[in-house]
Amino acid sequence: MTITLERVPASGPAREELTALLPGYLRGLGVDAHYPYLPLYWTEAGRFPYLIREQGRTAGFALVRQLPDSGAFEMAEFCVLPDFRARGLGAQAARALFAAHPGAWRIGIMANNAGALRFWRTVAPQAAVQPPREADGEDGFWMLSLPGAPPTRASDQTAPPQDAQQVRVATPADTPAILAVDALALADPARARQITRAIEQGQCRVALDAGRIVGYVMQDHGFFGHGFVSLIVVAAACRRQGVALRLLQAAVTACDTAKLFTSTNQSNVAARRLMAKAGFVPSGMIENLDEGDPELVYVKFVR
């Protein structure tokens, strides 16, 4: 079981999906299904909307905001859909959110929500760098606070937050930035049209580095009924930094079939090394596509 956090962009299918999921979640809590704060997640700094995915399927969502007074992060809303509960997925998603936003956290739970109380009392201590603190909140809420890590020296080496290096589904608004990282697309209108169609069909994912698109992967499920990765492109200045591997791993996670195929020219040594590192194995060879440079086919057994 592998989950991914997908940061929801300001427009496109992911935002529509989150907007559609929210009312049912609120009604399940017994509160008003109208949520006036949702638009602020795309207009106000310090707000982070996520969809939780498992194997490409939507398993839930989370709304995280950073409190302006203390700088702590707040789990404003957290939902795992009924079909995905009782499998450890919620705990995995919560830990991923904590890792994506390192620091102090605050979680408010309705005091009469016994299931949520049990969940957070179990998960929070596993993720906290210091023992969590419990307190009675206001208006029938129970509060759990996770202190942040002690201050670090400037010389300490820390990994970038997960959110800064995410992979998400591309939206039409991303098209210019995607084409800009692909020198061949800029010179070949047919390739540019191919990429644009993939984006429109939800078959393209982008890798971000501090909010900037640095690469993309195209994937469909039409290779003899199996998934197929047709293109992986990384901006020239960002190669050899693990971007291609992140993109390929995201394609594996999103694959809806038991096998995921891809291919590369025999002469492309870097791509062949990438396939091996990502766990793909050779699955044949196709002659006569490029003269004197056969196409090598690879497969990964997803499940």
Side-chain angles (χ1 to χ4, degrees), residues 179 183-197:
L179 296 178
L184 293 177
L186 294 176
D188 183 355
R191 183 177 174 105
R193 288 193 295 270
Q194 178 191 11
I195 295 168
T196 301
R197 284 195 301 270

mmCIF file of all heavy atoms in Angstrom, residues 179 183-197:
data_model
loop_
_atom_site.group_PDB
_atom_site.id
_atom_site.type_symbol
_atom_site.label_atom_id
_atom_site.label_comp_id
_atom_site.label_asym_id
_atom_site.label_seq_id
_atom_site.Cartn_x
_atom_site.Cartn_y
_atom_site.Cartn_z
ATOM 1 N N LEU A 179 6.059 22.588 -21.784
ATOM 2 C CA LEU A 179 6.712 22.687 -23.096
ATOM 3 C C LEU A 179 8.077 23.360 -22.980
ATOM 4 O O LEU A 179 9.006 23.041 -23.727
ATOM 5 C CB LEU A 179 5.821 23.461 -24.065
ATOM 6 C CG LEU A 179 4.467 22.806 -24.402
ATOM 7 C CD1 LEU A 179 3.665 23.694 -25.333
ATOM 8 C CD2 LEU A 179 4.659 21.423 -25.016
ATOM 9 N N ALA A 183 12.974 20.696 -24.974
ATOM 10 C CA ALA A 183 13.522 21.376 -26.150
ATOM 11 C C ALA A 183 12.956 20.808 -27.444
ATOM 12 O O ALA A 183 12.734 21.542 -28.418
ATOM 13 C CB ALA A 183 15.049 21.272 -26.144
ATOM 14 N N LEU A 184 12.689 19.491 -27.494
ATOM 15 C CA LEU A 184 12.135 18.887 -28.702
ATOM 16 C C LEU A 184 10.723 19.380 -28.983
ATOM 17 O O LEU A 184 10.345 19.584 -30.137
ATOM 18 C CB LEU A 184 12.151 17.369 -28.578
ATOM 19 C CG LEU A 184 13.528 16.700 -28.559
ATOM 20 C CD1 LEU A 184 13.382 15.197 -28.365
ATOM 21 C CD2 LEU A 184 14.286 16.996 -29.846
ATOM 22 N N ALA A 185 9.934 19.592 -27.927
ATOM 23 C CA ALA A 185 8.566 20.071 -28.105
ATOM 24 C C ALA A 185 8.552 21.484 -28.664
ATOM 25 O O ALA A 185 7.668 21.852 -29.450
ATOM 26 C CB ALA A 185 7.807 20.017 -26.786
ATOM 27 N N LEU A 186 9.516 22.288 -28.268
ATOM 28 C CA LEU A 186 9.587 23.656 -28.771
ATOM 29 C C LEU A 186 9.897 23.682 -30.266
ATOM 30 O O LEU A 186 9.509 24.610 -30.972
ATOM 31 C CB LEU A 186 10.658 24.444 -28.003
ATOM 32 C CG LEU A 186 10.364 24.679 -26.514
ATOM 33 C CD1 LEU A 186 11.542 25.370 -25.841
ATOM 34 C CD2 LEU A 186 9.096 25.510 -26.341
ATOM 35 N N ALA A 187 10.592 22.637 -30.739
ATOM 36 C CA ALA A 187 10.978 22.592 -32.152
ATOM 37 C C ALA A 187 10.036 21.732 -32.995
ATOM 38 O O ALA A 187 10.105 21.789 -34.230
ATOM 39 C CB ALA A 187 12.408 22.060 -32.279
ATOM 40 N N ASP A 188 9.174 20.939 -32.366
ATOM 41 C CA ASP A 188 8.335 19.979 -33.091
ATOM 42 C C ASP A 188 6.872 20.182 -32.697
ATOM 43 O O ASP A 188 6.435 19.740 -31.634
ATOM 44 C CB ASP A 188 8.787 18.557 -32.753
ATOM 45 C CG ASP A 188 8.008 17.497 -33.525
ATOM 46 O OD1 ASP A 188 7.059 17.854 -34.241
ATOM 47 O OD2 ASP A 188 8.355 16.304 -33.404
ATOM 48 N N PRO A 189 6.071 20.836 -33.547
ATOM 49 C CA PRO A 189 4.666 21.078 -33.208
ATOM 50 C C PRO A 189 3.877 19.795 -32.949
ATOM 51 O O PRO A 189 2.976 19.787 -32.114
ATOM 52 C CB PRO A 189 4.138 21.804 -34.456
ATOM 53 C CG PRO A 189 5.348 22.432 -35.077
ATOM 54 C CD PRO A 189 6.469 21.464 -34.812
ATOM 55 N N ALA A 190 4.220 18.702 -33.653
ATOM 56 C CA ALA A 190 3.494 17.448 -33.436
ATOM 57 C C ALA A 190 3.715 16.938 -32.016
ATOM 58 O O ALA A 190 2.784 16.444 -31.365
ATOM 59 C CB ALA A 190 3.934 16.400 -34.455
ATOM 60 N N ARG A 191 4.929 17.039 -31.534
ATOM 61 C CA ARG A 191 5.218 16.603 -30.163
ATOM 62 C C ARG A 191 4.499 17.518 -29.164
ATOM 63 O O ARG A 191 3.963 17.044 -28.156
ATOM 64 C CB ARG A 191 6.725 16.626 -29.924
ATOM 65 C CG ARG A 191 7.163 16.110 -28.546
ATOM 66 C CD ARG A 191 8.673 16.125 -28.470
ATOM 67 N NE ARG A 191 9.223 15.795 -27.172
ATOM 68 C CZ ARG A 191 9.793 14.635 -26.850
ATOM 69 N NH1 ARG A 191 9.856 13.677 -27.756
ATOM 70 N NH2 ARG A 191 10.301 14.431 -25.657
ATOM 71 N N ALA A 192 4.479 18.799 -29.437
ATOM 72 C CA ALA A 192 3.774 19.739 -28.552
ATOM 73 C C ALA A 192 2.289 19.404 -28.488
ATOM 74 O O ALA A 192 1.677 19.452 -27.410
ATOM 75 C CB ALA A 192 3.988 21.164 -29.041
ATOM 76 N N ARG A 193 1.701 19.048 -29.641
ATOM 77 C CA ARG A 193 0.274 18.666 -29.644
ATOM 78 C C ARG A 193 0.055 17.374 -28.860
ATOM 79 O O ARG A 193 -0.953 17.230 -28.153
ATOM 80 C CB ARG A 193 -0.217 18.515 -31.085
ATOM 81 C CG ARG A 193 -0.366 19.836 -31.834
ATOM 82 C CD ARG A 193 -1.147 19.651 -33.127
ATOM 83 N NE ARG A 193 -0.439 18.799 -34.078
ATOM 84 C CZ ARG A 193 0.418 19.248 -34.986
ATOM 85 N NH1 ARG A 193 0.697 20.542 -35.062
ATOM 86 N NH2 ARG A 193 1.002 18.418 -35.837
ATOM 87 N N GLN A 194 0.986 16.432 -28.990
ATOM 88 C CA GLN A 194 0.883 15.180 -28.242
ATOM 89 C C GLN A 194 0.883 15.437 -26.739
ATOM 90 O O GLN A 194 0.083 14.864 -25.987
ATOM 91 C CB GLN A 194 2.050 14.268 -28.610
ATOM 92 C CG GLN A 194 2.085 12.945 -27.846
ATOM 93 C CD GLN A 194 3.394 12.194 -28.054
ATOM 94 O OE1 GLN A 194 4.363 12.732 -28.595
ATOM 95 N NE2 GLN A 194 3.429 10.939 -27.618
ATOM 96 N N ILE A 195 1.768 16.307 -26.289
ATOM 97 C CA ILE A 195 1.852 16.643 -24.863
ATOM 98 C C ILE A 195 0.572 17.346 -24.411
ATOM 99 O O ILE A 195 0.016 17.037 -23.342
ATOM 100 C CB ILE A 195 3.085 17.525 -24.605
ATOM 101 C CG1 ILE A 195 4.367 16.740 -24.905
ATOM 102 C CG2 ILE A 195 3.096 18.033 -23.158
ATOM 103 C CD1 ILE A 195 5.615 17.599 -24.962
ATOM 104 N N THR A 196 0.097 18.272 -25.229
ATOM 105 C CA THR A 196 -1.117 19.018 -24.871
ATOM 106 C C THR A 196 -2.307 18.081 -24.720
ATOM 107 O O THR A 196 -3.105 18.213 -23.786
ATOM 108 C CB THR A 196 -1.405 20.091 -25.933
ATOM 109 O OG1 THR A 196 -0.282 20.979 -26.030
ATOM 110 C CG2 THR A 196 -2.647 20.890 -25.577
ATOM 111 N N ARG A 197 -2.445 17.115 -25.634
ATOM 112 C CA ARG A 197 -3.542 16.136 -25.531
ATOM 113 C C ARG A 197 -3.426 15.320 -24.257
ATOM 114 O O ARG A 197 -4.437 15.049 -23.584
ATOM 115 C CB ARG A 197 -3.552 15.223 -26.752
ATOM 116 C CG ARG A 197 -4.117 15.853 -28.016
ATOM 117 C CD ARG A 197 -4.434 14.791 -29.059
ATOM 118 N NE ARG A 197 -3.237 14.017 -29.427
ATOM 119 C CZ ARG A 197 -2.415 14.356 -30.406
ATOM 120 N NH1 ARG A 197 -2.636 15.452 -31.109
ATOM 121 N NH2 ARG A 197 -1.374 13.592 -30.688
#
